[in-house]
Amino acid sequence: MKILQVSDQKMGGQAGYNVFAEALANGATVFGLATGSTPISIYDAITASDLDFSNAVSINLDEYKGLPGTHEQSYRYFMNEHLFNKKPFKESYVPDGMADAATETARYERIINDNPIDLQILGLGQNGHIGFNEPDTPFDSLTHEVTLTQSTIDANARFFADENDVPRYAYSMGIGSIMKAKQILLVAYGENKADAVAAMIEGPVTEDMPASVLQRHPNVTVIVDAAAAAKLTNREEIVPFV
C-alpha cells in the first residue's frame, strides 16, 4: 500500500483529486464512487477543476434499501448534490433502493462485470467495514443485501431527524466486487478511525476486519490524517503529502 499523510481533509481532497486526475490521464474510464462525509473534499476539488468525465462511467458502492433516489438521505441524491450535477458522467450507476433485493443485486453485479472499475474510492468504518460490508462478510462476496449493524446505524443517525428513520438494510457491492477494481483509493480521517487504519494495514488479513483484505490488492493508495495514522507502528511507510 502507498500511504499518504495529509494535514487535514482539505489537503486530503487535493491528494485524492490528484489520484483521480492521474487515473483519468492514464485512460481510466470507469470510476467506483463512495458517499459519506469522507470523500466530499475530493468531490469538491474535482468539481472546482477542469476534469471532464463526460466520457466516463461511475458506479457507486451502495444505497439504502427502501429509499428512492429522490430522498434527501439517499446516496443517489448525495451524489447528485456533491458531484453529478456539476460534473456529469456519461452514465452513473447507483443501486435502486426501491427494487427487489435478488433482482437488483444481480443486476448491479452485471453492471460491475460489464464495466470493470479502473479506480474505486472507499471510506473506512470504525469497525473496518468497506462499502456496507460489515465484519464477517466473506471476502468473495458479490453485490448483496446487507443488514446494517447497530454501530453503523448509530453512525448514520446524525443525518436523519429521528434514529428510527435510519434504514436497517442496504444494497452494497460485496468485498469480492470491490477487489475487482484495478486501483483502490481509501480515505480515513480522525482518531476514531485509528484502530481500523492500523488493523487494515498492519493487522492480520481476516474477515473480522473487512478492510484488511486490501493487503491482498496490488494497487492501493491510502490517504490519512495524523490522527487516523496515529496507531501505525511502521512510520517509514508513511509519505507526507505537501
Side-chain angles (χ1 to χ4, degrees):
M1 294 183 185
K2 179 180 181 181
I3 306 168
L4 301 178
Q5 183 172 314
V6 297
S7 58
D8 54 32
Q9 291 196 32
K10 184 175 181 180
M11 185 169 284
Q14 185 59 51
Y17 164 84
N18 288 355
V19 174
F20 270 78
E22 182 179 2
L24 194 63
N26 289 336
T29 59
V30 183
F31 294 84
L33 303 179
T35 55
S37 58
T38 299
I40 288 177
S41 61
I42 296 176
Y43 298 154
D44 286 346
I46 289 173
T47 58
S49 76
D50 60 359
L51 292 186
D52 182 6
F53 293 93
S54 60
N55 290 316
V57 171
S58 69
I59 305 178
N60 260 74
L61 277 169
D62 42 32
E63 178 61 283
Y64 286 123
K65 181 181 180 182
L67 293 190
T70 54
H71 191 288
E72 290 187 359
Q73 296 304 332
S74 75
Y75 289 164
R76 165 65 77 173
Y77 188 93
F78 175 100
M79 293 305 305
N80 288 342
E81 290 293 301
H82 290 285
L83 186 61
F84 297 154
N85 289 345
K86 301 170 186 175
K87 286 287 182 183
F89 286 67
K90 179 175 66 176
E91 189 72 58
S92 291
Y93 296 104
V94 180
D96 180 356
M98 302 302 291
D100 168 75
T103 302
E104 181 60 10
T105 55
R107 181 190 77 90
Y108 210 69
E109 193 64 31
R110 286 196 300 272
I111 290 170
I112 296 167
N113 288 333
D114 291 343
N115 300 273
I117 295 171
D118 295 301
L119 172 63
Q120 174 70 59
I121 184 171
L122 299 173
L124 178 67
Q126 294 183 43
N127 62 2
H129 74 238
I130 47 177
F132 272 129
N133 296 290
E134 304 286 3
D136 298 324
T137 301
F139 282 160
D140 61 356
S141 59
L142 301 179
T143 303
H144 60 293
E145 180 181 1
V146 178
T147 301
L148 303 183
T149 64
Q150 189 60 49
S151 64
T152 297
I153 292 169
D154 293 343
N156 291 336
R158 68 187 187 276
F159 300 116
F160 292 82
D162 188 317
E163 181 186 322
N164 293 324
D165 295 334
V166 183
R168 267 48 182 174
Y169 302 92
Y171 298 148
S172 178
M173 285 189 198
I175 295 175
S177 310
I178 292 169
M179 290 291 283
K180 295 176 187 177
K182 298 170 189 173
Q183 180 180 3
I184 291 175
L185 170 64
L186 183 141
V187 187
Y189 303 118
E191 62 182 358
N192 64 335
K193 300 295 177 71
D195 287 328
V197 167
M200 172 184 70
I201 295 173
E202 298 180 345
V205 178
T206 168
E207 291 177 353
D208 292 338
M209 171 57 58
S212 67
V213 74
L214 299 180
Q215 294 179 38
R216 296 177 177 172
H217 195 282
N219 190 357
V220 177
T221 300
V222 178
I223 296 174
V224 288
D225 61 6
K231 295 190 177 181
L232 290 172
T233 58
N234 190 352
R235 311 299 297 181
E236 294 178 359
E237 294 186 356
I238 302 173
V239 178
F241 178 83
V242 293

